[in-house]
Amino acid sequence: MQLTSNKHVLSWIDECAALTAPDSVVWIDGSEAQLASLRAEAVATGELITLNQEKMPGCYLHRSDPTDVARVEDRTFICSRSKRDAGPTNNWKSPDEMYAMMKSIYAGAMAGRVMYVIPYSMGVVGSPFAKYGIELTDSIYVVLSMAIMTRIGKSVLAQIGDGADFIKGLHAKANLDPERRYIAHFPEDNTIWSVNSGYGGNVLLGKKCFALRMASVLGRDQGWMAEHMLILGVEAPNGETKYVAAAFPSACGKTNLAMLIPPEGYEKAGWKVWCVGDDIAWLRPKNGMLYAVNPEYGFFGVAPGTNVKSNPNAIAATAKNAIFTNVVQNLDDNTVWWEGLDKNPPENALDWRGNPWNGKTAGTPGAHPNSRFTAPAVNCPCISPEFENPDGVPISAIIFGGRRAKTAPLVYQSRDWTHGVFVGSIMGSETTAAAAGAVGVARRDPMAMLPFCGYDMGDYWAHWIDMASKVENPPQIFNVNWFRTDDDGKFIWPGYGENFRVLEWILKRCSGQLDAVDSAIGYLPLPGDVNLDGSGVDSATLETLLNVDKALWRDEVSGIEEFYAKFGDTLPKALSAELAKLSAAL
Ligand code: SAT
Ligand code: MN
């Protein structure tokens, strides 16, 4: 049954149905009854596997096609009318060419299948921050995942009303042909087309496609920002909470930082961390500050390495009503397992592909390195009381970070907003399994947005610089690196909960309680200002962690010059000036 009489919605659905030729069209109303029947159907066809309902109520396992396990950046396109608007870091095709090519792939692709219509909201339905979308898909897995990751159903259609202000998303699994897999964005048409994938960020169109690529364009035009950032609140023993937003590339620990539990001494003293979001932040000027909301409703977290020590809150979040993708199935008790969950891999199990796997004797990992859990945010024990606040939370600090074995110190602070934008623009990180391609290769990933910025990155930096003029008290900007290694390649900072010590330094700097060392790259902590009590890290190691190797940084400057050169005249002058200053200081 149709759930709206909106002509824009109905004529668009008719067009998509005429193209893809599904057997029927089913509207997702958001009711538990409908979702339950879809789960049952997915279990009947094998698309989902029911897990142990006593130990893991409402939990299911899904295995994706083995050729379809991560985002495909080389097949992701920004199809703005002008190539210049996509910029040098995005793949581009003209909208006409892309529509024509993809139409030939979509033609009849849903024959024999159902087309589901998912109305969804990014943000609290009806809030000033919220934006709406409708995703058409032939995948029940997508419907059920969107029901966890976003707010869905009739209430969203009520907000769209008779208007045309919604993002039109069309997804078809087709035959999962990797050679004909495309994720295309048409920012001028509010349209996203995705075909031949069934995995994560390629197909849950509310996430990277809408909330980052499309929303970054909306933010540029409307004076706000869509960023690849977690949001967390640090509550002090006196009950006061300060919020930070942090941008790290995919699979660099955003979920772990967002749900951090402070070290024992801090916890006993009454410190607490609240999670507002683990992946995406929309930021707007308000009351002279930048306010942030998490537009999502759930977590799509990396499974391997997640355990009761590294992230007990994430483990708790997956205890019920979660979907696991590409992890190990333990056949003894029908639960799940992944590398790093515990030291007892199951012996009687199936690996992520569904092949027999014995964790004691197998020489290969059982879970895919980019295996995931999809879990409702409400399950998370440390979910912030402000999670559903329609106005968001005021941000005191923005933190950039990546995986750098040697260059970046544990933490440093930018001198001012523009220098902070520079610090974000020069971010580098070693690649992870979250995207298809080689792992561990260093690449520039400005603001962790390289794969997610929907327009020219030079224009994006100009927009960042410009935001300061809209906000009297912009956040202080910092850079962190949890991934420094010694000569044997071992991490020298313990990370996880111990990262709280760095957050403490950052917030004290924001409130003007601490001095700092003025270095070539920015402000570094004074020795003694990062509290190491009970961390197991000695002051000599901290010195190494904070060391700025000028020779390495000079190499870094040449790398940045080369990267900046790609942008030509869209590179803001203020950033080339910052680079010249850094070079001179080195
Ligand atoms: O696959 S997703 O893009 O949703 C996850 C990630 O890469 O961060
Ligand atoms: Mn992400």
Side-chain angles (χ1 to χ4, degrees), residues 478-498:
F478 298 80
N479 193 86
V480 300
N481 177 23
W482 316 134
F483 300 94
R484 278 287 273 257
T485 56
D486 62 16
D487 294 337
D488 300 328
K490 284 217 186 78
F491 295 121
I492 52 176
W493 176 250
Y496 300 106
E498 305 300 329

Side-chain angles (χ1 to χ4, degrees), residues 408-423:
L410 179 63
V411 59
Y412 70 102
Q413 182 183 10
S414 68
R415 295 199 178 81
D416 53 42
W417 179 264
T418 304
H419 180 231
V421 176
F422 172 72
V423 168

Side-chain angles (χ1 to χ4, degrees), residues 272-531:
K272 216 175 157 6
V273 169
W274 297 102
C275 172
V276 182
D278 79 327
D279 195 40
I280 294 171
W282 285 358
L283 302 121
R284 267 167 215 262
K286 188 180 136 82
N287 302 336
M289 292 186 73
L290 269 185
Y291 273 68
V293 296
N294 166 15
E296 300 191 279
Y297 203 41
F299 307 115
F300 186 62
V302 178
T306 306
N307 59 56
V308 288
K309 273 208 163 138
S310 65
N311 194 341
N313 285 311
I315 295 289
T318 61
K320 59 179 185 194
N321 304 329
I323 300 175
F324 298 86
T325 302
N326 293 343
V327 299
V328 172
Q329 183 182 12
N330 180 342
L331 294 177
D332 285 335
D333 63 354
N334 195 24
T335 57
V336 291
W337 192 86
W338 49 78
E339 277 64 33
L341 177 65
D342 57 39
K343 296 208 164 79
N344 295 307
E347 293 175 50
N348 175 27
L350 298 178
D351 70 6
W352 67 274
R353 289 185 178 85
N355 296 326
W357 185 81
N358 179 336
K360 292 268 149 58
T361 57
T364 51
H368 188 276
N370 192 36
S371 56
R372 299 270 173 166
F373 53 79
T374 311
V378 292
N379 284 359
C380 180
C382 66
I383 194 73
S384 167
E386 303 299 315
F387 173 65
E388 303 255 18
N389 184 335
D391 291 321
V393 294
I395 299 296
S396 300
I398 285 175
I399 305 174
F400 295 120
R403 282 177 191 266
R404 298 312 296 273
K406 297 284 178 235
T407 350
L410 179 63
V411 59
Y412 70 102
Q413 182 183 10
S414 68
R415 295 199 178 81
D416 53 42
W417 179 264
T418 304
H419 180 231
V421 176
F422 172 72
V423 168
S425 80
I426 66 168
M427 263 173 70
S429 193
E430 284 130 38
T431 51
T432 68
V439 169
V441 182
R443 71 167 184 185
R444 297 273 142 222
D445 189 353
M447 282 81 171
M449 283 288 278
L450 183 73
F452 307 121
C453 184
Y455 62 104
D456 182 286
M457 199 124 216
D459 292 341
Y460 166 80
W461 291 328
H463 178 53
W464 259 86
I465 293 170
D466 189 45
M467 284 303 291
S469 67
K470 300 182 166 62
V471 190
E472 261 162 71
N473 296 301
Q476 300 288 312
I477 301 180
F478 298 80
N479 193 86
V480 300
N481 177 23
W482 316 134
F483 300 94
R484 278 287 273 257
T485 56
D486 62 16
D487 294 337
D488 300 328
K490 284 217 186 78
F491 295 121
I492 52 176
W493 176 250
Y496 300 106
E498 305 300 329
N499 293 335
F500 187 81
R501 300 166 189 281
V502 175
L503 290 179
E504 184 187 32
W505 183 79
I506 286 173
L507 289 174
K508 281 187 171 165
R509 282 292 295 169
C510 289
S511 56
Q513 294 176 58
L514 292 177
D515 270 339
V517 181
D518 195 357
S519 82
I521 62 170
Y523 299 124
L524 292 164
L526 283 157
D529 278 352
V530 178
N531 176 15

Side-chain angles (χ1 to χ4, degrees), residues 71 207-208 212 228 248-251 254 278-280 300 372 448 452:
R71 281 182 292 102
K207 197 174 179 56
K208 304 296 161 104
L212 290 177
H228 193 201
F248 307 141
S250 300
K254 280 199 301 301
D278 79 327
D279 195 40
I280 294 171
F300 186 62
R372 299 270 173 166
F452 307 121

Side-chain angles (χ1 to χ4, degrees), residues 557-570:
V557 165
S558 342
I560 300 162
E561 275 165 358
E562 208 175 293
F563 182 60
Y564 272 7
K566 285 190 186 180
F567 295 91
D569 58 7
T570 73

